[in-house]
Amino acid sequence: MFQMLKIERKKWLLAMVASFSILGCSSGKANKAEQVTLPPIPPVQQQFNYQTIIDKAISDAVPGIVLLVETPDNKFLGAAGLADIETQAPMQIYHVMPSGSAGKKLTALLTVLFEQEGLLNLDDKIHNFLDAEILAQIENSDNITIRQLLNHTAGVFDYLDETTADNFYNAVLASDPQQLKLDQFALTFALNKPAYSTPGETFNYSNTGYLLIGLILDKLLAEHHSVAIRNRILEPLGMHSSFYGGIEMQFGDIVSGYFKDDIVGTFNTKPFYESIGFADAPLRSNVEDLALLLRNIVAVDSSLSEDVRARFFEPESIVKINESTEYGLGIFKEKLNNKTVYHHGGLEAGYTTANIFIDDTQTSITAFFNCGLDVQCEAESDQVIHAILDNELK
């Protein structure tokens, strides 16, 4: 799944300096040249037009886009292209899409809230919660903690590893689209597979860890954790357009998503995602709700308590990936152009998400594209996000 924003930096230098000579003449006297240097003419400021950016980005690879850019002083919310190619229905600003791994922060938030209620501790071992049958098929399961699953240091095999992803997607396509598929369905593609590392050793992005978190939450609740997500997060935060994939279909509808395959061509993946609900990518949302979720976790002016927000990036939780990038609980933290940027993208077959918050300027950037997992869509959607992010980081 989409993990980290690849930021490309460009610097422009525009200097316009004008100077000219004025010849002064006086009657009966020799001409004398006097040079006068005028102050620099300021460059013409071109206003960055978000609507133009997304309008121009619509192509055969990118059917539709929804974009939110919000600062304390300004808000842009716009849409471009099509929500459905077959019906030619236009994309709308309120449309809902699967947010992919950008929804990991939702699962992480519920886990932290449970800790605040005393139902678990982030450093509890997972063997205290999961069935022995599952634990026996996960290497190092005796030593893995909940925190390590959330910050990808558990070393558990990713069910979307390049060696198993095709098997997973083929199984989804071969199944009844209306069959509800929850965490256990995806987990089967990660069982009895070798660990990437020993628990706590290093960062290895693994969607499987969040499936296991989902099963742990179910055990604690004696019901599916989507109920707690609605009652403890979606409703209190005012995320009224959001719902849990598959299991909460009655709360809304998603737009069509398009995946290009070399063999079968372009097809609509919406019928399959309507019945999928995994804890590693649980959220169906619009751009405003997703931006609201990230902001509440990382910004000071939040509905969440400081204790809850602190758990995401405390020293025990945060993992250094490289010189500029760290990972907390379901969220990347990165230094870009000397600014602190929180983000997590999402990539599904037919859907691409960018979810970003620039702390220094309190700027939210959230974008949805109803295409995903093909090279052209990735290249063109990245170009849009990079252009907007570069503008906001100036």
Side-chain angles (χ1 to χ4, degrees):
M1 291 194 176
F2 186 80
Q3 298 176 26
M4 299 175 60
L5 293 171
K6 300 174 183 176
I7 309 301
E8 295 178 3
R9 288 283 168 267
K10 291 184 179 179
K11 294 182 179 178
W12 293 271
L13 179 63
L14 180 61
M16 297 176 64
V17 180
S19 63
F20 60 94
S21 297
I22 299 177
L23 296 180
C25 301
S26 60
S27 175
K29 295 183 179 181
N31 291 339
K32 182 179 179 182
E34 180 180 359
Q35 182 169 319
V36 178
T37 301
L38 298 182
I41 300 174
V44 177
Q45 297 295 321
Q46 296 291 334
Q47 186 174 4
F48 194 86
N49 192 308
Y50 301 110
Q51 189 64 51
T52 299
I53 289 288
I54 60 176
D55 285 341
K56 289 183 176 180
I58 300 303
S59 68
D60 290 341
V62 181
I65 303 172
V66 186
L67 173 65
L68 169 71
V69 181
E70 186 170 14
T71 71
D73 300 320
N74 296 289
K75 177 180 179 179
F76 171 83
L77 179 59
L82 299 176
D84 189 287
I85 293 175
E86 184 178 1
T87 66
Q88 293 290 289
M91 190 70 81
Q92 304 289 348
I93 58 174
Y94 55 80
H95 272 148
V96 171
M97 295 188 197
S99 62
S101 286
K104 280 184 169 64
K105 65 179 74 69
L106 182 66
T107 302
L109 177 56
L110 182 61
T111 308
V112 172
L113 291 176
F114 273 15
E115 184 185 50
Q116 296 287 306
E117 296 174 21
L119 297 177
L120 56 80
N121 187 287
L122 293 183
D123 294 315
D124 285 341
K125 299 291 179 62
I126 66 171
H127 65 70
N128 294 325
F129 303 94
L130 295 173
D131 293 338
E133 181 183 359
I134 293 177
L135 293 169
Q137 300 179 77
I138 300 173
E139 191 174 355
N140 302 319
S141 60
D142 286 346
N143 296 313
I144 294 172
T145 68
I146 291 174
R147 192 194 305 270
Q148 289 166 347
L149 294 178
L150 292 172
N151 69 6
H152 302 293
T153 61
V156 293
F157 184 88
D158 185 7
Y159 77 94
L160 290 177
D161 185 273
E162 61 181 9
T163 62
T164 53
D166 285 347
N167 293 335
F168 165 74
Y169 285 115
N170 287 336
V172 171
L173 294 175
S175 66
D176 180 357
Q178 296 183 346
Q179 174 195 355
L180 183 61
K181 302 170 188 67
L182 301 178
D183 293 322
Q184 189 66 56
F185 177 91
L187 182 62
T188 59
F189 297 89
L191 297 177
N192 300 306
K193 300 292 184 182
Y196 294 133
S197 63
T198 58
E201 180 183 355
T202 187
F203 178 89
N204 285 286
Y205 193 93
S206 176
N207 296 285
T208 303
Y210 277 72
L211 301 180
L212 296 174
I213 291 292
L215 294 177
I216 289 172
L217 298 175
D218 292 348
K219 275 277 189 180
L220 290 171
L221 290 164
E223 64 181 353
H224 193 269
H225 57 275
S226 59
V227 178
I229 281 179
R230 174 153 300 279
N231 294 334
R232 287 172 165 86
I233 302 174
L234 300 185
E235 294 298 335
L237 292 186
M239 297 174 62
H240 300 308
S241 295
S242 299
F243 56 93
Y244 199 104
I247 206 165
E248 285 194 329
M249 291 174 59
Q250 74 273 19
F251 285 97
D253 190 23
I254 58 175
V255 300
S256 297
Y258 296 94
F259 172 70
K260 284 189 175 182
D261 182 82
D262 293 338
I263 299 175
V264 299
T266 301
F267 66 93
N268 188 353
T269 62
K270 173 184 175 179
F272 298 96
Y273 280 96
E274 287 178 319
S275 60
I276 289 178
F278 302 150
D280 67 312
L283 190 58
R284 309 304 187 248
S285 181
N286 64 11
V287 290
E288 291 187 281
D289 275 9
L290 189 58
L292 180 64
L293 176 61
L294 178 56
R295 184 184 185 94
N296 268 283
I297 294 174
V298 301
V300 175
D301 58 336
S302 169
S303 300
L304 301 173
S305 71
E306 184 179 351
D307 289 342
V308 168
R309 292 183 288 107
R311 297 297 267 165
F312 280 79
F313 295 100
E314 63 187 354
E316 296 84 359
S317 295
I318 201 150
V319 184
K320 187 172 184 177
I321 299 174
N322 56 44
E323 289 304 313
S324 62
T325 308
E326 298 172 304
Y327 193 91
L329 305 183
I331 303 173
F332 289 95
K333 181 180 181 181
E334 191 166 0
K335 275 290 185 181
L336 298 172
N337 200 24
N338 293 318
K339 293 182 173 65
T340 300
V341 180
Y342 297 96
H343 63 86
H344 206 309
L347 183 60
E348 302 280 7
Y351 302 96
T352 299
T353 301
N355 186 209
I356 304 163
F357 184 78
I358 305 172
D359 186 59
D360 303 68
T361 58
Q362 298 290 288
T363 299
S364 294
I365 303 170
T366 300
F368 287 170
F369 305 80
N370 59 341
C371 62
L373 276 188
D374 70 78
V375 175
Q376 194 61 31
C377 170
E378 181 177 357
E380 294 182 19
S381 59
D382 278 357
Q383 187 175 12
V384 172
I385 297 305
H386 292 166
I388 294 168
L389 187 56
D390 281 346
N391 181 71
E392 298 304 321
L393 288 172
K394 288 178 180 177

